[in-house]
Each structure stands twice: as C-alpha cells, then as structure tokens.
Amino acid sequence: LAGTRIICDRKFLLECKNSPAARTPPCCLPQTPGVTSLAQSSLAKLEELKERNESEEAVPGEQPRAVGR
C-alpha cells in the first residue's frame, strides 16, 4: 500500500475548529437541497413541529404525552 499519512497533534486540530474558515461554508459551494441546505419538505416539517410544540405548551394543566410509544 502506498500513500501519505498526515499527522496532526491535538492542540492544532482544536485550534482549527475556531478558525473563521471552519465556521463559514465556502462561497462557491452549490446549493443542494437536503445536502448543503435544508430540503423544502424538511423546512415545512420543522415549522409544523414548532407549531405543534408551541400549541402543546400553550395548553395549561394538561399532562404531557409520551412520545415514541
């Protein structure tokens, strides 16, 4: 097997995560729904879940429902 092994120490890698380049997406990155940006259907689902959670929080005195059972 041939190849190049890149070795970085922990301190360097931890410093890289705070770099401005690591915080922003590249300017020439194509917009692909569901990959580089949220899909439109995902946005609709998120809004629906948010509205449902807000309406459940607005009903005082009601017992919270078990989710996933």
Side-chain angles (χ1 to χ4, degrees):
L1 291 171
T4 303
R5 186 175 197 157
I6 300 173
I7 301 174
C8 302
D9 65 345
R10 183 177 188 275
K11 181 182 176 206
F12 172 76
L13 292 174
L14 288 173
E15 289 172 356
C16 287
K17 77 174 186 177
N18 296 324
S19 167
R23 300 262 179 204
T24 57
C27 62
C28 58
L29 191 67
Q31 295 297 317
T32 307
V35 179
T36 58
S37 63
L38 289 175
Q40 292 297 333
S41 61
S42 295
L43 289 174
K45 286 181 183 179
L46 287 173
E47 290 174 4
E48 180 183 329
L49 288 172
K50 182 179 176 183
E51 290 174 4
R52 188 181 305 162
N53 286 339
E54 289 174 352
S55 65
E56 287 177 358
E57 291 174 358
V59 178
E62 189 174 302
Q63 293 291 332
R65 295 184 312 201
V67 177
R69 291 186 181 184

